[in-house]
Structure formats: structure tokens, C-alpha cells
Amino acid sequence: MQQTIGRQPAFGRQQAIGFAILFLSATLSAPSQADTVSPQDCRSIQDDRRRLACYDNQFGLPVELLSEDNVLQTRVLEQNGEPVSDLEVRLKSEAQLSDNRFVIIPHKQNYLLPATYVDDPNGSPSVNALSAPQEQRLDHTEVKYQISLKIPVYNDFLLDNATLWLGYTQLSLWQAYNSDASAPFRETNYEPEVFWTKPTQWNLLGTTLEEVSVGLVHQSNGRGEPLSRSWNRVYANFIFARNNWAFALKPWYRLPEEEDDDDNPDIDDYLGYADFLATYKLKGNEWGDYVLSAKVRNNFKHDDNHTSTTLGLSFPLPGRLNGYIEYVDGYGETLIDYNHRNQRIGVGFILNDWY
């Protein structure tokens, strides 16, 4: 059965209002403060980094320090004379916040790009020519946003300091400026997952393996045929850090499906079998730091090679939001476009970056 975009103003407005409420609530909320302790032994230290390291050595990472202009997230501290990476700071802060029921912990990036431009919007998404729906009237300019959250389910699961998590990520493309088609949501991907993490602190080739995780993830677009897309994977994630650098290698294995139920049997040919992510934090100003990121996929095939790259730059702004610029070139930005090459650039705001 063919499906085309019809007039659906109510759906678009309701989903937009719901996202706005969630995004603003996450933006305006702040972590609640933990019980304070008297830091008399550290107050006399003049150097900011050493004073914060003193607090960390004596009391861990107290929650009240986490809300002070993101000081802990944006500086490289020193602990017993050794540098502490920004990634390690984030992991410690998550551990401190995991028992606070009034705090939503970010998982992946949370951002809103009110203006993006895609050079070739996929007006006829299909797995093959026979299943192609009627050509859709798509604007080159659309809104893109992502919401990504996680909650700890069980601490010290299987091993000491290991945590079992539930995560949820939602990515949407919204034809907000396409009034001729009643401004529909072109694509929304839903990505629930369950995963287990274990901090490691192993030194490897001049870097530190900060964390290892394994998980099970489902991703789908919640649509009927012929536009339905979905897949299930098991994955491992290895996160390394060195000072202002962070690296992640995330290989996965797609769980096989029955041929009759598989909406995208050749998805591995386009999205490959792993993500590689690199980020670098550059010192900014009193508002925060700049973060450069690059995520790369490749299917490692000589005869039909497909590479996908996402480049990001977040930059400091007053308040809790940062500015964000993103460039995408390749396949699988969303599931509906897994076999269609996109080139997109967008600008907007980001609540939290990768690390």
C-alpha cells in the first residue's frame, strides 16, 4: 500500500509543542544540590585547578560544584599531579547524579537545529523500485532535533562500579517550513536500548580506556509499509581519553530477521558494522569551551564502498545552551535514508555534547 504525505497540521503541532516543552524543561532545570561539607582544607588554595582537585580528592565530585558554570565539565583538573580528562569528569558527575530522581541524565547529544539545508531530499524512499511510494513534495530546508536520555537501573550489576542502564534516543526531521504539505514530520527514529557500563582506567598506548559498555539496541521509524524501517543490534563500546581528546569505537552485530519481515535487508551495505567517534575540547571563554567532533562509518567493501561522516562544532553562548553547527555527508542519517546519500548543514543550539 502506498503512503503519501497528507495534511496533518494537528500531528505536527502536537509533536512540536511536546518537544519544545521537553527541550525547555531540560534546559531550565538544574541538578539539585547534595548535602554540603566544610571545605576548609581547600579554600586557601589560590590556583583554580588545584583547588578543585583538592575538593575532588577529599570529597569526590560534590553535586553542588557541578552547577557552577560547568566548571568541572570544562576544565582539565589535576589529581595527585596527574591530568584528569574531561571525559573522566563527565563519567564521575554521572555517577554522582545517578541516584538523584530529579535529574535527567543525557545520553547522546541533545540539540535543536531550527535551520538545516539538505541538497537532495529523498522524495521517494524505497528499498527497491517496486516499493517506492509516490514522490513527496519536500523542501530543502527543514528542522532537525535529537532528544537522548538515560537512567540507571541497577548499580554494581555483575561487577563492582558497573551499571545497568536504560537509554532512549529520538531523532526527527521536520518539514516545518513546507506549508504546501501542511508542515509534516518527514521522519522520526525511535531508539530504545539497554546497556551495561564498566569504568576501567586502563592505560593503553598513551591513552586511557575510561569505560567499556555492551548493549542491545532497537531502532525503527514506527511506520507502515512501504516506509517501515527497523533493525536490532548488539554492540560494544570502547571509550578512550587523553586530556582534551576523547575517542570511541563502537562495533555492532545486526541480529538477523526473517526475510519476509526485513524492511531493509541491505542496511549493512550502507551503514557498515561500527562507528568511530573523536572529539576535541578547545578552551573558550567564561561561557564555556568549543567542542569539535567527527563520527565516521564505513562498510569496508572495496567494490561498493560507502563512507558516512558527521562533523560537529559546538561553541559557547551565555546561559546553559551552546551554539551548534553540524555537517552530514553520507548514508543513514535517518533510517528512511539509509540507502540514500545526504549532504546537510545545519545551525542551532545544543544542550550537551558527546563528552
Side-chain angles (χ1 to χ4, degrees):
M1 183 178 74
Q2 294 187 347
Q3 296 185 8
T4 60
I5 291 180
R7 302 191 61 85
Q8 42 181 325
F11 173 74
R13 294 193 196 100
Q14 291 172 0
Q15 194 163 359
I17 292 171
F19 165 72
I21 292 173
L22 181 58
F23 192 81
L24 289 175
S25 64
T27 302
L28 297 175
S29 63
S32 62
Q33 295 186 347
D35 295 335
T36 59
V37 293
S38 178
Q40 298 296 335
D41 294 336
C42 301
R43 283 183 175 174
S44 60
I45 300 176
Q46 298 299 314
D47 182 78
D48 289 343
R49 293 182 301 170
R50 295 186 181 277
R51 184 171 63 255
L52 289 169
C54 175
Y55 287 127
D56 188 22
N57 286 334
Q58 293 195 31
F59 314 116
L61 289 179
V63 175
E64 65 267 18
L65 292 178
L66 297 176
S67 61
E68 296 179 1
D69 300 326
N70 295 321
V71 170
L72 294 184
Q73 288 86 343
T74 56
R75 296 185 183 178
V76 177
L77 311 182
E78 291 181 5
Q79 183 173 343
N80 298 325
E82 296 295 327
V84 177
S85 68
D86 293 296
L87 173 58
E88 183 179 349
V89 171
R90 169 168 176 172
L91 295 178
K92 287 185 176 181
S93 66
E94 286 184 355
Q96 289 289 327
L97 296 173
S98 62
D99 292 330
N100 192 328
R101 295 177 180 269
F102 297 97
V103 174
I104 298 176
I105 300 178
H107 183 25
K108 302 177 184 179
Q109 295 169 303
N110 286 270
Y111 60 81
L112 168 65
L113 303 178
T116 73
Y117 181 85
V118 58
D119 69 326
D120 183 21
N122 189 7
S124 298
S126 64
V127 177
N128 55 61
L130 297 178
S131 67
Q134 182 177 336
E135 180 77 17
Q136 301 171 353
R137 299 168 298 169
L138 299 179
D139 284 353
H140 290 266
T141 303
E142 58 188 0
V143 177
K144 178 182 179 182
Y145 66 80
Q146 178 170 282
I147 301 169
S148 187
L149 314 168
K150 64 182 179 182
I151 59 171
V153 177
Y154 201 105
N155 293 320
D156 295 324
F157 184 72
L158 300 181
L159 297 174
D160 290 342
N161 298 321
T163 304
L164 184 67
W165 298 83
L166 290 178
Y168 176 75
T169 302
Q170 180 174 316
L171 176 65
S172 291
L173 300 177
W174 180 19
Q175 289 270 301
Y177 313 110
N178 190 347
S179 57
D180 291 341
S182 192
F185 277 78
R186 177 163 75 89
E187 174 77 342
T188 295
N189 287 174
Y190 310 93
E191 191 173 358
E193 59 185 304
V194 57
F195 58 100
W196 176 88
T197 63
K198 177 68 171 75
T200 57
Q201 290 294 301
W202 294 344
N203 293 320
L204 296 172
L205 302 176
T207 65
T208 301
L209 178 60
E210 297 279 1
E211 185 179 85
V212 174
S213 63
V214 293
L216 171 65
V217 59
H218 167 79
Q219 188 181 29
S220 66
N221 63 357
R223 304 174 76 170
E225 296 294 349
L227 300 179
S228 175
R229 305 285 185 271
S230 66
W231 62 335
N232 301 298
R233 293 169 290 164
V234 292
Y235 68 84
N237 197 21
F238 305 92
I239 305 177
F240 301 84
R242 178 181 173 87
N243 297 333
N244 293 356
W245 286 94
F247 309 92
L249 177 62
K250 184 179 181 180
W252 62 70
Y253 170 73
R254 184 191 179 190
L255 298 179
E257 300 180 41
E258 296 291 339
E259 183 176 351
D260 293 341
D261 298 329
D262 196 344
D263 301 318
N264 27 251
D266 58 345
I267 193 170
D268 290 337
D269 295 338
Y270 293 91
L271 301 192
Y273 306 93
D275 279 340
F276 176 76
L277 174 68
T279 71
Y280 179 75
K281 183 173 288 188
L282 181 66
K283 184 62 181 177
N285 53 36
E286 66 274 13
W287 298 333
D289 298 332
Y290 296 87
V291 178
L292 301 169
S293 63
K295 185 173 71 171
V296 179
R297 292 174 174 171
N298 189 277
N299 63 357
F300 302 108
K301 293 186 177 182
H302 296 290
D303 54 343
D304 190 22
N305 188 263
H306 295 124
T307 299
S308 301
T309 304
T310 301
L311 304 177
L313 168 64
S314 64
F315 50 91
L317 296 174
R320 293 195 62 193
L321 290 178
N322 282 357
Y324 184 54
I325 301 173
E326 182 186 73
Y327 173 73
V328 177
D329 183 5
Y331 301 86
E333 181 184 18
T334 61
L335 286 178
I336 201 66
D337 293 332
Y338 83 90
N339 57 357
H340 177 84
R341 183 182 176 185
N342 273 342
Q343 289 181 293
R344 179 194 305 274
I345 187 167
V347 61
F349 307 96
I350 189 168
L351 179 60
N352 67 280
D353 219 306
W354 289 102
Y355 308 117

